[in-house]
Amino acid sequence: MQYFNSTATHANGPASRQGATLVEILMSLMVMSIGLVSVASLFPLSMMRSIQATQLTNAAMLHYQCEDYTRAFPGLTFNHYDGSGIVPNSEMQASSPTIRRFREGAGAINPTVFLRSLPLTFVKVVDPIGASFYRNTAPADAITFGKDPYGLHDSNTNFMFQATRTNAGFDVMNLGDDTGRNLAFSMFGSTDSWSESVLSNEITIVDPLNITLDDIRTDDMASFAGAIGSVTGRAIIYDRTGKQSHVTQVTNVAGQNVQLTKAIPNNGLYTAIPEVRLELLEPRYTCLITVRRQLMNLGPDGTPGEDSVDDDGDGTADNFPEIGWPGTDDEVRNLGADLVVFFRRDFSPFGEQVYEAGNLIRGSNAPNGTQPITIRWDGGKEDSRPRLQSGGWVFDPVNGYWYQLTSVLVEDRPATDQFNGAISNMREAVVLLDRPPEASGRYLMVPERVVEVFDFPAF
């Protein structure tokens, strides 16, 4: 009797398999999961790059817009309105940080010290939007750029790290705060973003320029009224069909009453108003201009302005406000200017905190980008720690230069030396800049939300 194997065989090999082993399945899942994780990691990265690209695009558009305005109106970069008239040489006024550095206490300027300091670099910040915000909250801060809300410096020497802020003369035509601020936003900011503050469905028309929102509480209206003291507010009024709307700025709010700039149309469609929205301008993209100038010489006679001529018409000839006045014999040269674009800029004093900086020395032998800079703060005040990150920006308010951070080497350590004896728990970070310092200095500002810093040839 002949026996055969019950397992069928092929002529050319062993029996074929009809599936995969568990090990093969697990290996396949592992390879596939690695691919899926790699692909998934691209989504947040691509979203971040998309946001950055959008911000850079909007920043570039605002840069070109502001450059066109300043080419058409060059007085924007020189003028300042102080309530009595235009001051085109505000950085040389007695109250300016530049001149206060040479005053003997509260007395007169020491000419000997001033002349010995030549050539003298002085910085001006053309910032009408920032000046408008500070004028409503802290008028004295509206004319200076650079603050110390954390008390890191001697309050009597704040002018040592401050630059002069100008409002570009927007109040010269007595336009009022609202109109002047709106003009400033139209030139130095984007006006494409509005946030809803109040929505009303019960409206009484008092007259074409006044309406009452009957269903809105007075305290809710008060918050909107307080906000329009610093930013622009508008009303969107819908007609009775809901297909048309009337958009107008809000000039005043008293209780539930809203005063409008543009009268409600008298076309029969607004006899009954079903809805009114009150919105606030959200200043997403804003910009300012930092200007660097240098006084080389006061002229042959050694006095400011043209000899024995009252150049600025203030009643005194050859005084310091005449330095660099058009037509004088002072030797002043422009070192350059930068246009800085912010996204949701912090207009509080904390956004302009100035820190002491170490090793900010021009002419160092360190190769490009390898000169470590230290930035110091008070370890006892955790909030005073600067928000440093690679790709961020820092500003030298005394010399007027912007630098980009290429690396943060040390985020937090005890300070190696003591610059400011008033701070007992001084901490410091160590950073690298995108280039060697253009000028020696002792202070740096670390503003947040800077999108880009453009060279500004329009100046």
Side-chain angles (χ1 to χ4, degrees):
M1 183 179 293
Q2 188 175 2
Y3 295 95
F4 295 93
N5 191 343
S6 61
T7 303
T9 60
H10 289 285
N12 297 327
S16 63
R17 294 184 306 173
Q18 300 300 317
T21 66
L22 180 61
V23 173
E24 292 173 327
I25 294 174
L26 293 176
M27 290 294 293
S28 300
L29 288 175
M30 182 184 71
V31 173
M32 184 175 65
S33 62
I34 292 174
L36 290 176
V37 170
S38 301
V39 172
S41 65
L42 294 177
F43 285 96
L45 182 62
S46 62
M47 183 176 296
M48 182 179 66
R49 298 302 184 205
S50 177
I51 293 174
Q52 291 177 343
T54 300
Q55 291 185 348
L56 287 173
T57 300
N58 289 322
M61 293 174 61
L62 182 56
H63 163 232
Y64 290 124
Q65 169 188 303
C66 192
E67 184 172 355
D68 289 340
Y69 274 122
T70 52
R71 288 186 187 277
F73 307 100
L76 292 174
T77 56
F78 294 96
N79 292 339
H80 177 72
Y81 185 77
D82 66 352
S84 59
I86 282 291
V87 182
N89 206 18
S90 59
E91 62 269 39
M92 288 298 171
Q93 297 296 315
S95 60
S96 69
T98 304
I99 297 300
R100 289 182 64 194
R101 293 168 191 151
F102 301 97
R103 295 174 69 91
E104 296 180 330
I109 299 171
N110 188 326
T112 303
V113 177
F114 187 87
L115 291 173
R116 196 164 49 232
S117 68
L118 299 181
L120 170 66
T121 300
F122 51 98
V123 180
K124 174 170 58 177
V125 180
V126 184
D127 183 22
I129 298 179
S132 174
F133 273 85
Y134 279 107
R135 184 177 55 190
N136 288 282
T137 57
D141 292 337
I143 59 174
T144 56
F145 185 76
K147 305 290 182 292
D148 184 26
Y150 291 113
L152 305 183
H153 314 283
D154 184 353
S155 59
N156 296 320
T157 60
N158 284 354
F159 57 86
M160 295 299 296
F161 55 77
Q162 290 177 331
T164 301
R165 190 201 314 264
T166 67
N167 56 26
F170 272 101
D171 289 336
V172 63
M173 293 180 290
N174 297 320
L175 298 174
D177 289 348
D178 293 334
T179 306
R181 184 172 58 244
N182 293 336
L183 285 174
F185 270 112
S186 66
M187 295 186 184
F188 288 81
S190 61
T191 58
D192 59 343
S193 178
W194 297 81
S195 60
E196 182 179 302
S197 179
V198 175
L199 176 63
S200 174
N201 299 110
E202 297 180 10
I203 301 97
T204 299
I205 302 176
V206 180
D207 57 57
L209 289 174
N210 289 274
I211 57 176
T212 301
L213 309 184
D214 299 320
D215 57 339
I216 306 299
R217 298 187 307 174
T218 304
D219 53 350
D220 292 334
M221 296 293 293
S223 62
F224 178 80
I228 62 175
S230 300
V231 298
T232 301
R234 73 176 183 182
I236 302 178
I237 303 172
Y238 292 91
D239 70 350
R240 56 185 176 83
T241 66
K243 298 181 180 180
Q244 295 185 16
S245 63
H246 174 64
V247 181
T248 174
Q249 292 182 8
V250 176
T251 58
N252 187 36
V253 174
Q256 295 175 305
N257 182 263
V258 179
Q259 185 176 352
L260 312 175
T261 302
K262 294 165 52 179
I264 300 174
N266 185 20
N267 56 8
L269 295 177
Y270 292 90
T271 54
I273 299 176
E275 182 176 298
V276 169
R277 282 192 299 169
L278 300 183
E279 297 181 337
L280 294 171
L281 176 64
E282 184 181 2
R284 294 193 303 172
Y285 294 93
T286 58
C287 68
L288 55 81
I289 304 171
T290 57
V291 181
R292 303 182 300 275
R293 304 178 74 193
Q294 191 174 55
L295 174 63
M296 305 299 296
N297 199 315
L298 287 180
D301 60 342
T303 59
E306 191 175 355
D307 188 19
S308 301
V309 176
D310 184 10
D311 298 283
D312 57 354
D314 65 350
T316 304
D318 301 339
N319 57 353
F320 281 88
E322 298 177 29
I323 293 177
W325 195 273
T328 64
D329 52 10
D330 302 315
E331 187 180 351
V332 178
R333 64 175 183 173
N334 295 326
L335 299 180
D338 297 293
L339 186 141
V340 187
V341 179
F342 294 82
F343 178 73
R344 301 185 189 277
R345 174 184 170 188
D346 180 8
F347 287 99
S348 73
F350 301 99
E352 296 182 13
Q353 173 68 57
V354 178
Y355 298 88
E356 285 188 341
N359 206 29
L360 192 67
I361 304 173
R362 182 174 183 264
S364 172
N365 295 326
N368 183 25
T370 62
Q371 180 173 334
I373 308 297
T374 59
I375 299 177
R376 298 177 171 89
W377 68 92
D378 188 351
K381 302 175 182 178
E382 183 60 30
D383 290 341
S384 70
R385 178 177 174 178
R387 277 69 170 175
L388 299 169
Q389 59 179 353
S390 298
W393 294 85
V394 294
F395 177 58
D396 178 357
V398 177
N399 298 295
Y401 289 101
W402 288 87
Y403 304 98
Q404 192 167 22
L405 301 180
T406 59
S407 179
V408 180
L409 300 180
V410 179
E411 294 186 357
D412 187 352
R413 74 179 186 188
T416 55
D417 56 3
Q418 195 75 8
F419 270 27
N420 192 334
I423 301 177
S424 58
N425 185 16
M426 182 172 286
R427 310 290 295 182
E428 68 180 13
V430 183
V431 300
L432 295 180
L433 308 180
D434 60 339
R435 64 188 189 278
E438 301 281 354
S440 298
R442 184 179 168 181
Y443 303 100
L444 283 176
M445 185 186 298
V446 189
E448 297 184 77
R449 305 168 188 172
V450 175
V451 179
E452 188 59 85
V453 177
F454 299 93
D455 183 49
F456 199 59
F459 178 75

